[in-house]
């Protein structure tokens, strides 16, 4: 291949790569927002159809009007539900609702699992959930995990860690691992930093991270980690 063609090809590759790096995050953001808006629009469609039957005129049947109203109505319903459940009466009603779901075996399992997952992902600062590193998929290579709770080994009494290992780029799926607590390396990362690292494949990350476990204190000074509820 002639040098001129080789330089042109390398220049084209660099420009295409620069375009991918520039457009890629915007495209992924667009896909995420499009998915969320689509879910909100579908959730509010039955109410919009009902309004279309009650309100005269065909303007409400326009595609953009239907989609906009569906999204707005869904957000309003979510706000009202969240506002009500934040009150004492709303919390009591929610407990009664969850108690009723507990009587439905299959539904209760799904609802309880999804509820616990959302609660763990929507962790607030100061909560007991911690961002940790664990040896996965092999010793010497660590993966980011969410320490969701701790358990006690019924045989040995050893403290065990329940760690959710989300997949990079697509953190909505992952693995759930139970391991001895001493195999967990705690970090000072917060949820926002951890999610940024996962969503960007590590491109967005802090300058330093607690990769190695600190040396254990002397036996007389050692303090076991507190169990998580």
């Amino acid at each position: 291949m002639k040098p001129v063609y080789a330089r042109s090809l390398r220049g084209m590759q660099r420009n295409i790569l620069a375009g991918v790096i520039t457009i890629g995050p915007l495209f992924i953001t667009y896909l995420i927002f499009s998915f969320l808006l689509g879910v909100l629009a579908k959730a509010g469609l039955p109410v919009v159809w009902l309004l279309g039957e009650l309100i005269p005129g065909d303007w409400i049947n326009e595609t953009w009007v239907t989609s906009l109203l569906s999204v707005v109505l869904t957000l309003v319903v979510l706000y009202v539900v969240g506002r009500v459940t934040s009150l004492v009466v709303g919390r009591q009603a929610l407990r009664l609702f969850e108690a009723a779901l507990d009587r439905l075996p299959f539904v209760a399992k799904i609802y309880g699992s999804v509820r616990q997952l959302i609660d763990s992902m929507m962790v607030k600062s100061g909560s007991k959930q911690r961002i940790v590193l664990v040896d996965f998929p092999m010793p010497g290579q660590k993966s980011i995990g969410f320490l969701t709770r701790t358990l006690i080994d019924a045989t040995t009494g050893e403290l065990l860690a329940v760690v959710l290992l989300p997949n990079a780029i697509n953190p909505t799926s992952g693995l759930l691992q139970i391991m001895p607590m001493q195999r967990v390396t705690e970090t000072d990362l917060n949820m926002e930093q951890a999610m940024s690292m996962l969503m960007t494949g590590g491109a967005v990350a802090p300058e330093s991270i607690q990769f190695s476990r600190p040396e254990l204190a002397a036996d007389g000074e050692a303090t076991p980690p507190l169990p998580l509820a």
Side-chain angles (χ1 to χ4, degrees):
M1 183 179 294
K2 295 183 179 180
V4 176
Y5 293 152
R7 286 196 299 271
S8 300
L9 182 59
R10 286 195 296 269
M12 182 182 300
Q13 291 175 342
R14 285 196 299 270
N15 291 332
I16 292 176
L17 180 59
V20 170
I21 294 175
T22 302
I23 299 297
L26 295 176
F27 180 67
I28 294 175
T29 303
Y30 166 77
L31 291 179
I32 293 174
F33 273 97
S34 297
F35 173 75
L36 293 177
L37 290 176
V39 171
L40 294 175
K42 289 182 180 179
L45 274 180
V47 181
V48 175
W49 290 336
L50 179 61
L51 291 177
E53 296 294 331
L54 299 177
I55 300 176
D58 295 333
W59 61 272
I60 199 172
N61 295 322
E62 295 289 338
T63 303
W64 70 272
V65 175
T66 301
S67 300
L68 180 60
L69 285 177
S70 299
V71 172
V72 172
L73 289 173
T74 304
L75 292 176
V76 170
V77 170
L78 292 176
Y79 172 80
V80 172
V81 172
R83 184 67 176 176
V84 170
T85 53
S86 65
L87 303 176
V88 176
V89 176
R91 289 196 295 269
Q92 293 176 347
L94 180 61
R95 283 195 292 268
L96 292 175
F97 174 73
E98 292 181 339
L101 286 182
D102 287 338
R103 300 177 181 275
L104 305 174
F106 185 72
V107 176
K109 288 292 185 181
I110 297 177
Y111 175 81
S113 300
V114 174
R115 179 65 184 269
Q116 291 178 5
L117 176 60
I118 293 176
D119 288 342
S120 66
M121 296 298 291
M122 298 297 292
V123 62
K124 298 178 181 178
S125 76
S127 66
K128 294 182 178 179
Q129 181 173 328
R130 299 191 289 268
I131 309 301
V132 299
L133 298 179
V134 299
D135 287 322
F136 184 83
M138 63 183 64
Q141 299 181 2
K142 295 187 182 293
S143 297
I144 292 178
F146 302 143
L147 179 59
T148 57
R149 64 172 299 164
T150 56
L151 303 172
I152 300 297
D153 189 335
T155 303
T156 64
E158 183 181 14
L159 187 63
L160 304 175
V162 180
V163 183
L164 176 65
L165 299 179
N167 292 328
I169 309 300
N170 180 25
T172 57
S173 62
L175 300 173
L176 183 65
Q177 304 239 335
I178 301 176
M179 63 190 67
M181 193 69 188
Q182 62 266 25
R183 296 188 181 179
V184 173
T185 302
E186 298 197 47
T187 72
D188 56 356
L189 294 175
N190 56 40
M191 179 62 72
E192 182 179 357
Q193 290 173 323
M195 293 302 295
S196 296
M197 292 183 66
L198 291 170
M199 294 294 294
T200 63
V204 178
E207 294 296 327
S208 62
I209 189 174
Q210 184 72 41
F211 184 82
S212 302
R213 286 177 54 85
E215 295 296 328
L216 295 177
D219 292 341
E221 301 175 359
T223 303
L226 296 176
L228 296 177

